Amino acid sequence: MRKILLAAGLLAVVGLLIYNFLGSSAPTPAAPADPAYAAQIRRARQQKDAAFRESPSSPLPAGQRAAFGGLRYFKPNAAYRVVARLTRAAVPAPLPLALTRGSADAYVSWGTAEFELGGRPQRLALLQKQGVGAGQELFLPFTDPTNGQQTYAGGRYLDLPLPTPDAADITLDFNTAFNPFCAYNHEYSCPKPPADNRLSVPVLAGEQLAPQ
């Protein structure tokens, strides 16, 4: 009887440890489906696939385009579309981003976005490109625990419209997260996400690893 009780107690402890582990690392659950939103995401993905296959500016090597069957994506999940509290930098500070093939691109730290994902607080730097190629948008490169497994090892990107001067928040839709071009062609040189732009929870949304 004592052995049975000890075994039962051990199983209970193991069960509790497993529960705590899974609870701490559980992905963000799926939000209620919004058919119109999901259809919009799917249309954008179809357009991108067509551009990768047909556009002269496709990052795919020319010999791979005819056989290209489309990119891999997570299913649209509205839980990964979050509204973040926006804080602008009083004076945007230079934040050069190292490139995958050496040297760096000129960016400034435009501000920060703070939000919750998977029940945990997150904070990401919002960047703005300087010099050649600068535009009226923000750049958000980030990494998360899926990198190197479900998603590209070097992290992913979001492009965001520049908020209006009176905006107090900004929408981050990780369903639109995309890989840098160097994920498809090593001839490209791509900005690396800054070390501080790492999310603590897996982002099971957006673009997955490039098809092999």
Side-chain angles (χ1 to χ4, degrees):
M1 179 63 72
R2 179 176 296 177
K3 289 183 178 180
I4 293 174
L5 291 175
L6 287 173
L10 181 60
L11 287 173
V13 171
V14 171
L16 181 60
L17 289 173
I18 292 173
Y19 174 81
N20 288 336
F21 173 78
L22 291 176
S24 66
S25 60
T28 299
D34 179 343
Y37 169 71
Q40 176 185 342
I41 293 293
R42 284 193 293 269
R43 282 194 300 271
R45 292 173 174 181
Q46 290 167 357
Q47 292 168 1
K48 183 170 185 177
D49 285 348
F52 265 53
R53 187 165 41 248
E54 301 165 6
S55 173
S57 60
S58 169
L60 295 178
Q64 296 180 13
R65 294 176 192 173
F68 174 67
L71 300 174
R72 292 183 181 137
Y73 301 96
F74 292 102
K75 291 182 179 180
N77 183 352
Y80 288 100
R81 181 176 53 177
V82 299
V83 177
R85 182 164 64 87
L86 180 63
T87 302
R88 294 169 175 79
V91 178
L95 183 61
L97 294 184
L99 299 174
T100 52
R101 299 190 67 187
S103 74
D105 266 357
Y107 286 84
V108 295
S109 181
W110 186 91
T112 58
E114 296 179 71
F115 55 98
E116 277 197 4
L117 193 62
R120 296 184 186 179
Q122 312 290 334
R123 184 176 185 272
L124 295 174
L126 303 169
L127 311 179
Q128 190 172 36
K129 187 171 176 57
Q130 304 296 289
V132 177
Q136 294 300 304
E137 64 180 11
L138 298 179
F139 180 52
L140 178 50
F142 70 94
T143 59
D144 72 274
T146 67
N147 299 150
Q149 300 176 56
Q150 297 105 317
T151 64
Y152 179 58
R156 292 178 290 169
Y157 301 159
L158 289 177
D159 285 333
L160 307 168
L162 195 66
T164 60
D166 59 344
D169 53 45
I170 186 169
T171 298
L172 309 180
D173 190 349
F174 291 99
N175 292 287
T176 65
F178 61 95
N179 293 332
F181 277 4
C182 52
Y184 309 105
N185 189 330
H186 295 309
E187 293 300 313
Y188 286 87
S189 189
C190 307
K192 298 179 180 180
D196 289 345
N197 267 21
R198 180 165 181 81
L199 296 168
S200 63
V201 297
V203 178
L204 304 177
E207 209 167 303
Q208 297 191 46
L209 278 171
Q212 298 299 316

